[in-house]
Amino acid sequence: MGRLLVVLFVIAVIAVVVIGIMLAAQRRAVSRQESPREILKRRYAAGEIDEDEYLRRMSGLDQDW
């Protein structure tokens, strides 16, 4: 009975790791498709950055380097 629990635990850990890797790869693929402006809009909408930071970074994107 104890060995069965250990096997189930190992399978669960492997499943969590595989799912985590898949989600990370999917998120990375999505972020490659977004433009810098889209990323800023998404981060502002999610509350990751405030309005001042959003406007400062957006104006930096408008400048020609």
Side-chain angles (χ1 to χ4, degrees):
M1 184 63 127
R3 289 183 185 210
L4 178 62
L5 290 177
V6 170
V7 170
L8 290 176
F9 178 74
V10 170
I11 290 172
V13 169
I14 291 171
V16 167
V17 169
V18 169
I19 290 170
I21 291 170
M22 290 173 54
L23 290 175
Q26 181 182 15
R27 184 173 182 168
R28 190 173 306 152
V30 169
S31 68
R32 286 186 200 142
Q33 297 170 355
E34 291 179 306
S35 73
R37 284 181 176 75
E38 290 171 334
I39 293 170
L40 277 176
K41 289 177 186 177
R42 180 180 46 79
R43 290 186 64 200
Y44 178 63
E48 295 177 17
I49 58 174
D50 62 7
E51 183 178 7
D52 292 335
E53 182 73 9
Y54 172 78
L55 293 173
R56 183 179 69 78
R57 289 179 182 235
M58 215 35 124
S59 68
L61 291 175
D62 291 335
Q63 295 178 356
D64 290 328
W65 297 94

